[in-house]
PDB file of all heavy atoms in Angstrom:
ATOM      1  N   TYR A 238     -15.541 -10.841   3.645  1.00  0.00           N
ATOM      2  CA  TYR A 238     -16.154  -9.631   3.089  1.00  0.00           C
ATOM      3  C   TYR A 238     -15.348  -9.112   1.887  1.00  0.00           C
ATOM      4  O   TYR A 238     -14.120  -9.110   1.920  1.00  0.00           O
ATOM      5  CB  TYR A 238     -16.210  -8.521   4.097  1.00  0.00           C
ATOM      6  CG  TYR A 238     -17.259  -8.714   5.190  1.00  0.00           C
ATOM      7  CD1 TYR A 238     -17.000  -9.556   6.260  1.00  0.00           C
ATOM      8  CD2 TYR A 238     -18.490  -8.090   5.163  1.00  0.00           C
ATOM      9  CE1 TYR A 238     -17.923  -9.759   7.282  1.00  0.00           C
ATOM     10  CE2 TYR A 238     -19.428  -8.254   6.166  1.00  0.00           C
ATOM     11  CZ  TYR A 238     -19.142  -9.083   7.213  1.00  0.00           C
ATOM     12  OH  TYR A 238     -20.076  -9.310   8.176  1.00  0.00           O
ATOM     13  N   ARG A 239     -16.029  -8.629   0.888  1.00  0.00           N
ATOM     14  CA  ARG A 239     -15.332  -8.003  -0.243  1.00  0.00           C
ATOM     15  C   ARG A 239     -14.607  -6.796   0.240  1.00  0.00           C
ATOM     16  O   ARG A 239     -15.201  -5.848   0.747  1.00  0.00           O
ATOM     17  CB  ARG A 239     -16.361  -7.578  -1.313  1.00  0.00           C
ATOM     18  CG  ARG A 239     -16.892  -8.683  -2.157  1.00  0.00           C
ATOM     19  CD  ARG A 239     -17.816  -8.157  -3.258  1.00  0.00           C
ATOM     20  NE  ARG A 239     -17.117  -7.234  -4.191  1.00  0.00           N
ATOM     21  CZ  ARG A 239     -17.470  -7.052  -5.431  1.00  0.00           C
ATOM     22  NH1 ARG A 239     -18.462  -7.723  -5.919  1.00  0.00           N
ATOM     23  NH2 ARG A 239     -16.798  -6.202  -6.162  1.00  0.00           N
ATOM     24  N   ALA A 240     -13.299  -6.787   0.081  1.00  0.00           N
ATOM     25  CA  ALA A 240     -12.499  -5.672   0.591  1.00  0.00           C
ATOM     26  C   ALA A 240     -12.643  -4.442  -0.290  1.00  0.00           C
ATOM     27  O   ALA A 240     -12.426  -3.309   0.186  1.00  0.00           O
ATOM     28  CB  ALA A 240     -11.014  -6.085   0.728  1.00  0.00           C
ATOM     29  N   ASP A 241     -12.982  -4.663  -1.548  1.00  0.00           N
ATOM     30  CA  ASP A 241     -13.038  -3.497  -2.448  1.00  0.00           C
ATOM     31  C   ASP A 241     -14.271  -2.678  -2.201  1.00  0.00           C
ATOM     32  O   ASP A 241     -14.242  -1.447  -2.355  1.00  0.00           O
ATOM     33  CB  ASP A 241     -12.983  -3.969  -3.913  1.00  0.00           C
ATOM     34  CG  ASP A 241     -14.096  -4.968  -4.222  1.00  0.00           C
ATOM     35  OD1 ASP A 241     -14.682  -5.552  -3.290  1.00  0.00           O
ATOM     36  OD2 ASP A 241     -14.370  -5.184  -5.407  1.00  0.00           O
ATOM     37  N   THR A 242     -15.394  -3.295  -1.771  1.00  0.00           N
ATOM     38  CA  THR A 242     -16.640  -2.566  -1.639  1.00  0.00           C
ATOM     39  C   THR A 242     -17.087  -2.328  -0.212  1.00  0.00           C
ATOM     40  O   THR A 242     -18.080  -1.599  -0.007  1.00  0.00           O
ATOM     41  CB  THR A 242     -17.768  -3.276  -2.398  1.00  0.00           C
ATOM     42  OG1 THR A 242     -17.884  -4.600  -1.882  1.00  0.00           O
ATOM     43  CG2 THR A 242     -17.447  -3.353  -3.893  1.00  0.00           C
ATOM     44  N   CYS A 243     -16.452  -2.970   0.741  1.00  0.00           N
ATOM     45  CA  CYS A 243     -16.961  -2.888   2.106  1.00  0.00           C
ATOM     46  C   CYS A 243     -16.080  -2.102   3.072  1.00  0.00           C
ATOM     47  O   CYS A 243     -14.858  -2.119   2.962  1.00  0.00           O
ATOM     48  CB  CYS A 243     -17.092  -4.297   2.669  1.00  0.00           C
ATOM     49  SG  CYS A 243     -18.360  -5.275   1.892  1.00  0.00           S
ATOM     50  N   ARG A 244     -16.778  -1.426   3.976  1.00  0.00           N
ATOM     51  CA  ARG A 244     -16.110  -0.812   5.084  1.00  0.00           C
ATOM     52  C   ARG A 244     -16.830  -1.388   6.323  1.00  0.00           C
ATOM     53  O   ARG A 244     -18.027  -1.175   6.515  1.00  0.00           O
ATOM     54  CB  ARG A 244     -16.296   0.703   5.013  1.00  0.00           C
ATOM     55  CG  ARG A 244     -15.292   1.477   5.866  1.00  0.00           C
ATOM     56  CD  ARG A 244     -15.519   2.962   5.730  1.00  0.00           C
ATOM     57  NE  ARG A 244     -16.668   3.437   6.437  1.00  0.00           N
ATOM     58  CZ  ARG A 244     -17.799   3.807   5.915  1.00  0.00           C
ATOM     59  NH1 ARG A 244     -17.958   3.798   4.594  1.00  0.00           N
ATOM     60  NH2 ARG A 244     -18.812   4.206   6.629  1.00  0.00           N
ATOM     61  N   LEU A 245     -16.118  -2.129   7.127  1.00  0.00           N
ATOM     62  CA  LEU A 245     -16.730  -2.765   8.269  1.00  0.00           C
ATOM     63  C   LEU A 245     -16.878  -1.771   9.428  1.00  0.00           C
ATOM     64  O   LEU A 245     -15.911  -1.044   9.735  1.00  0.00           O
ATOM     65  CB  LEU A 245     -15.863  -3.959   8.756  1.00  0.00           C
ATOM     66  CG  LEU A 245     -15.465  -4.973   7.703  1.00  0.00           C
ATOM     67  CD1 LEU A 245     -14.694  -6.128   8.333  1.00  0.00           C
ATOM     68  CD2 LEU A 245     -16.710  -5.477   6.977  1.00  0.00           C
ATOM     69  N   THR A 246     -18.039  -1.722   9.994  1.00  0.00           N
ATOM     70  CA  THR A 246     -18.250  -0.773  11.088  1.00  0.00           C
ATOM     71  C   THR A 246     -18.546  -1.496  12.384  1.00  0.00           C
ATOM     72  O   THR A 246     -19.192  -2.538  12.400  1.00  0.00           O
ATOM     73  CB  THR A 246     -19.389   0.191  10.767  1.00  0.00           C
ATOM     74  OG1 THR A 246     -20.616  -0.533  10.695  1.00  0.00           O
ATOM     75  CG2 THR A 246     -19.159   0.924   9.487  1.00  0.00           C
ATOM     76  N   PHE A 247     -18.039  -0.917  13.438  1.00  0.00           N
ATOM     77  CA  PHE A 247     -18.222  -1.466  14.784  1.00  0.00           C
ATOM     78  C   PHE A 247     -18.678  -0.350  15.698  1.00  0.00           C
ATOM     79  O   PHE A 247     -18.745   0.800  15.285  1.00  0.00           O
ATOM     80  CB  PHE A 247     -16.891  -1.983  15.331  1.00  0.00           C
ATOM     81  CG  PHE A 247     -16.253  -3.028  14.507  1.00  0.00           C
ATOM     82  CD1 PHE A 247     -15.509  -2.723  13.405  1.00  0.00           C
ATOM     83  CD2 PHE A 247     -16.412  -4.368  14.812  1.00  0.00           C
ATOM     84  CE1 PHE A 247     -14.887  -3.686  12.606  1.00  0.00           C
ATOM     85  CE2 PHE A 247     -15.844  -5.363  14.066  1.00  0.00           C
ATOM     86  CZ  PHE A 247     -15.099  -5.006  12.953  1.00  0.00           C
ATOM     87  N   GLY A 248     -18.983  -0.675  16.899  1.00  0.00           N
ATOM     88  CA  GLY A 248     -19.131   0.377  17.869  1.00  0.00           C
ATOM     89  C   GLY A 248     -20.540   0.697  18.287  1.00  0.00           C
ATOM     90  O   GLY A 248     -21.534   0.145  17.769  1.00  0.00           O
ATOM     91  N   ASP A 249     -20.643   1.560  19.263  1.00  0.00           N
ATOM     92  CA  ASP A 249     -21.864   1.836  19.954  1.00  0.00           C
ATOM     93  C   ASP A 249     -22.929   2.502  19.104  1.00  0.00           C
ATOM     94  O   ASP A 249     -24.110   2.249  19.222  1.00  0.00           O
ATOM     95  CB  ASP A 249     -21.560   2.771  21.157  1.00  0.00           C
ATOM     96  CG  ASP A 249     -20.237   2.398  21.802  1.00  0.00           C
ATOM     97  OD1 ASP A 249     -19.974   1.200  21.882  1.00  0.00           O
ATOM     98  OD2 ASP A 249     -19.486   3.307  22.172  1.00  0.00           O
ATOM     99  N   SER A 250     -22.505   3.373  18.243  1.00  0.00           N
ATOM    100  CA  SER A 250     -23.513   4.287  17.642  1.00  0.00           C
ATOM    101  C   SER A 250     -23.633   4.190  16.162  1.00  0.00           C
ATOM    102  O   SER A 250     -23.761   5.198  15.467  1.00  0.00           O
ATOM    103  CB  SER A 250     -23.206   5.718  18.060  1.00  0.00           C
ATOM    104  OG  SER A 250     -21.978   5.786  18.734  1.00  0.00           O
ATOM    105  N   GLY A 251     -23.579   2.972  15.667  1.00  0.00           N
ATOM    106  CA  GLY A 251     -23.853   2.855  14.252  1.00  0.00           C
ATOM    107  C   GLY A 251     -22.661   3.146  13.361  1.00  0.00           C
ATOM    108  O   GLY A 251     -21.538   3.254  13.801  1.00  0.00           O
ATOM    109  N   ALA A 252     -22.934   3.327  12.112  1.00  0.00           N
ATOM    110  CA  ALA A 252     -21.856   3.437  11.090  1.00  0.00           C
ATOM    111  C   ALA A 252     -21.289   4.831  11.025  1.00  0.00           C
ATOM    112  O   ALA A 252     -21.957   5.828  11.265  1.00  0.00           O
ATOM    113  CB  ALA A 252     -22.397   3.009   9.740  1.00  0.00           C
ATOM    114  N   LEU A 253     -20.024   4.899  10.730  1.00  0.00           N
ATOM    115  CA  LEU A 253     -19.433   6.162  10.383  1.00  0.00           C
ATOM    116  C   LEU A 253     -19.875   6.569   8.989  1.00  0.00           C
ATOM    117  O   LEU A 253     -20.046   5.706   8.132  1.00  0.00           O
ATOM    118  CB  LEU A 253     -17.890   6.041  10.367  1.00  0.00           C
ATOM    119  CG  LEU A 253     -17.176   6.023  11.705  1.00  0.00           C
ATOM    120  CD1 LEU A 253     -15.715   5.699  11.462  1.00  0.00           C
ATOM    121  CD2 LEU A 253     -17.338   7.330  12.375  1.00  0.00           C
ATOM    122  N   GLU A 254     -20.016   7.809   8.803  1.00  0.00           N
ATOM    123  CA  GLU A 254     -20.484   8.238   7.452  1.00  0.00           C
ATOM    124  C   GLU A 254     -19.350   8.464   6.498  1.00  0.00           C
ATOM    125  O   GLU A 254     -19.539   8.470   5.323  1.00  0.00           O
ATOM    126  CB  GLU A 254     -21.308   9.516   7.564  1.00  0.00           C
ATOM    127  CG  GLU A 254     -22.548   9.387   8.424  1.00  0.00           C
ATOM    128  CD  GLU A 254     -22.223   9.752   9.844  1.00  0.00           C
ATOM    129  OE1 GLU A 254     -21.234  10.470  10.084  1.00  0.00           O
ATOM    130  OE2 GLU A 254     -22.969   9.293  10.726  1.00  0.00           O
ATOM    131  N   ILE A 255     -18.178   8.730   7.032  1.00  0.00           N
ATOM    132  CA  ILE A 255     -17.083   9.069   6.127  1.00  0.00           C
ATOM    133  C   ILE A 255     -16.260   7.837   5.758  1.00  0.00           C
ATOM    134  O   ILE A 255     -16.108   6.900   6.512  1.00  0.00           O
ATOM    135  CB  ILE A 255     -16.157  10.116   6.713  1.00  0.00           C
ATOM    136  CG1 ILE A 255     -15.591   9.620   8.006  1.00  0.00           C
ATOM    137  CG2 ILE A 255     -16.929  11.405   6.930  1.00  0.00           C
ATOM    138  CD1 ILE A 255     -14.581  10.511   8.659  1.00  0.00           C
ATOM    139  N   SER A 256     -15.760   7.823   4.544  1.00  0.00           N
ATOM    140  CA  SER A 256     -14.872   6.721   4.137  1.00  0.00           C
ATOM    141  C   SER A 256     -13.431   7.191   4.102  1.00  0.00           C
ATOM    142  O   SER A 256     -13.166   8.393   4.006  1.00  0.00           O
ATOM    143  CB  SER A 256     -15.295   6.237   2.751  1.00  0.00           C
ATOM    144  OG  SER A 256     -14.903   7.202   1.781  1.00  0.00           O
ATOM    145  N   HIS A 257     -12.583   6.247   4.208  1.00  0.00           N
ATOM    146  CA  HIS A 257     -11.145   6.549   4.169  1.00  0.00           C
ATOM    147  C   HIS A 257     -10.796   7.307   2.896  1.00  0.00           C
ATOM    148  O   HIS A 257     -10.040   8.282   2.904  1.00  0.00           O
ATOM    149  CB  HIS A 257     -10.337   5.287   4.277  1.00  0.00           C
ATOM    150  CG  HIS A 257      -8.879   5.503   4.142  1.00  0.00           C
ATOM    151  ND1 HIS A 257      -8.172   6.322   4.952  1.00  0.00           N
ATOM    152  CD2 HIS A 257      -7.992   5.033   3.251  1.00  0.00           C
ATOM    153  CE1 HIS A 257      -6.903   6.305   4.606  1.00  0.00           C
ATOM    154  NE2 HIS A 257      -6.772   5.524   3.534  1.00  0.00           N
ATOM    155  N   GLU A 258     -11.403   6.842   1.853  1.00  0.00           N
ATOM    156  CA  GLU A 258     -11.159   7.473   0.565  1.00  0.00           C
ATOM    157  C   GLU A 258     -11.408   8.976   0.635  1.00  0.00           C
ATOM    158  O   GLU A 258     -10.596   9.789   0.209  1.00  0.00           O
ATOM    159  CB  GLU A 258     -12.096   6.826  -0.436  1.00  0.00           C
ATOM    160  CG  GLU A 258     -12.141   7.490  -1.803  1.00  0.00           C
ATOM    161  CD  GLU A 258     -13.376   7.057  -2.555  1.00  0.00           C
ATOM    162  OE1 GLU A 258     -13.823   5.889  -2.332  1.00  0.00           O
ATOM    163  OE2 GLU A 258     -13.922   7.811  -3.300  1.00  0.00           O
TER     164      GLU A 258
END
Side-chain angles (χ1 to χ4, degrees):
Chain A
Y238 288 80
R239 283 184 61 152
D241 57 342
T242 58
C243 292
R244 199 178 75 253
L245 308 184
T246 65
F247 301 82
D249 321 321
S250 6
L253 282 175
E254 299 91 22
I255 58 174
S256 74
H257 175 58
E258 172 197 328

